[in-house]
Amino acid sequence: MALGAGTILEARDLCLRFGAVEALKSVSLSVHAGSIHALIGPNGAGKSSLLNCLSGFYHPWSGAVLFQGKDIGAKSPPARSVLGIGRTFQGIQTYPSMTARENILTGFHSQMRGGVFSALFRLPHTLRQEEAFTERAEEIIAFLELEQDRHRTVGDMSYGLRKRVDLGRALATDPKILIMDEPMAGMSPEEKGDLARFILDIRDHFGIPVVLVEHDMDVVMDISDQVTVLEFGKVIADGPPEAIANDESVITAYLGAAEPAA
Ligand SMILES: Nc1ncnc2c1ncn2[C@@H]1O[C@H](COP(=O)(O)OP(=O)(O)O)[C@@H](O)[C@H]1O
Ligand SMILES: [Mg+2]
């Protein structure tokens, strides 16, 4: 199975059903290293289902998911996270009673080595690891411009800030690719602009490719390198944003339609 040049994550001919609903009908997707790949389409098109197949929460009935050329179809979501597939979910996933910094530190759990025994007895390598995580958390806090908010309880924060903390938690898992389901839904234009800038920086500074579902076409056209359009569980178009914006079937199916409800 030859891998396309520079492909880091690939879905091949995924089919997924829920009862009578065919959520995915032979869907294929190739995410290139170092790219921002947007997934668009009307509500119910299968966008979240596809992301869930990539991160292991859903198991396709047929087809394959490949990460760095290896079939990862049998791997659980935590195992995929350890491999480097990071993700954020629709809505808020942070712990509201914890501070921004504490929430980000929870992201390091998947990388902890040594288990309970060394944690209890605070063995030297555990202490070194803790120091490294603390340092890395500070880097993430600085990167996401959360310095002023690091000790604030997340439950008291605005939606935009909480989503930023959630992104910090995902970055703490040391991802090789980041999957984000509607990260900008419910955000003000200013918050969207901030998050778009962080997503570009994640690609440019960390070299981490990002796959995201987004409804705001201005944002999609601004930041993405590649766009895949889903409709009724099928890919109807795939290509650079300029080509997608001029694609007749896309215009009919999606761009011409009324703005979908968030
Ligand atoms: N866990 C599930 N159980 C039953 N049906 C589901 C489930 N997840 C998704 N679906 C169905 O699959 C279709 C695609 O949904 P989804 O992937 O959430 O679309 P999108 O994210 O594009 O709005 C919809 O008809 C939805 O109702
Ligand atoms: Mg969805």
Side-chain angles (χ1 to χ4, degrees):
M1 296 209 283
L3 201 68
T7 299
I8 178 166
L9 183 64
E10 193 179 350
R12 284 190 190 162
D13 296 325
L14 299 187
C15 295
L16 178 71
R17 269 175 178 284
F18 297 102
V21 177
E22 279 189 275
L24 299 175
K25 300 171 198 163
S26 196
V27 168
S28 295
L29 178 85
S30 260
V31 183
H32 298 269
S35 71
I36 295 176
H37 195 129
L39 198 55
I40 67 171
N43 285 324
K47 305 179 296 296
S48 296
S49 296
L50 175 56
L51 295 192
N52 283 329
C53 288
L54 297 176
S55 52
F57 289 92
Y58 288 175
H59 290 281
W61 285 36
S62 60
V65 177
L66 292 94
F67 180 58
Q68 296 179 320
K70 294 200 178 70
D71 190 326
I72 56 164
K75 296 202 181 288
S76 68
R80 292 186 201 199
S81 164
V82 170
L83 280 180
I85 303 178
R87 74 166 294 173
T88 66
F89 295 84
Q90 259 177 290
I92 292 281
Q93 293 291 321
T94 45
Y95 298 99
S97 61
M98 284 165 46
T99 66
R101 186 174 171 279
E102 288 165 346
N103 266 282
I104 290 169
L105 283 169
T106 64
F108 292 106
H109 283 162
S110 65
Q111 300 160 59
M112 278 194 192
R113 273 189 294 271
V116 175
F117 178 82
S118 52
L120 266 179
F121 294 98
R122 301 179 72 78
L123 297 179
H125 74 89
T126 311
L127 290 177
R128 273 199 305 275
Q129 202 177 40
E130 271 178 24
E131 262 169 40
F133 288 160
T134 306
E135 203 173 293
R136 182 90 182 99
E138 288 307 315
E139 282 170 25
I140 292 171
I141 285 167
F143 171 73
L144 294 174
E145 297 166 13
L146 287 166
E147 289 101 333
Q148 308 294 316
D149 304 288
R150 60 148 72 73
H151 296 307
R152 278 180 67 199
T153 304
V154 164
D156 298 333
M157 290 179 172
S158 69
Y159 183 80
L161 219 44
R162 289 173 75 169
K163 287 299 282 187
R164 213 188 293 174
V165 172
D166 191 28
L167 178 56
R169 191 233 5 109
L171 285 175
T173 64
D174 198 19
K176 295 194 177 85
I177 186 168
L178 195 55
I179 295 175
M180 306 177 83
D181 198 349
E182 299 199 31
M184 297 179 193
M187 283 192 175
S188 68
E190 197 194 341
E191 290 173 333
K192 278 188 191 181
D194 284 344
L195 187 56
R197 184 166 51 86
F198 287 123
I199 290 172
L200 287 167
D201 281 350
I202 285 170
R203 180 194 63 187
D204 297 339
H205 294 325
F206 298 127
I208 300 174
V210 178
V211 182
L212 83 162
V213 172
E214 180 49 47
H215 285 298
D216 187 324
M217 289 312 298
D218 290 337
V219 172
V220 169
M221 294 298 150
D222 268 2
I223 70 171
S224 47
D225 304 298
Q226 188 85 8
V227 183
T228 299
V229 189
L230 281 177
E231 189 193 23
F232 298 120
K234 273 186 125 72
V235 174
I236 59 164
D238 185 65
E242 316 81 59
I244 295 299
N246 295 312
D247 186 294
E248 280 304 322
S249 56
V250 176
I251 293 165
T252 315
Y254 187 56
L255 300 179
E259 186 79 17

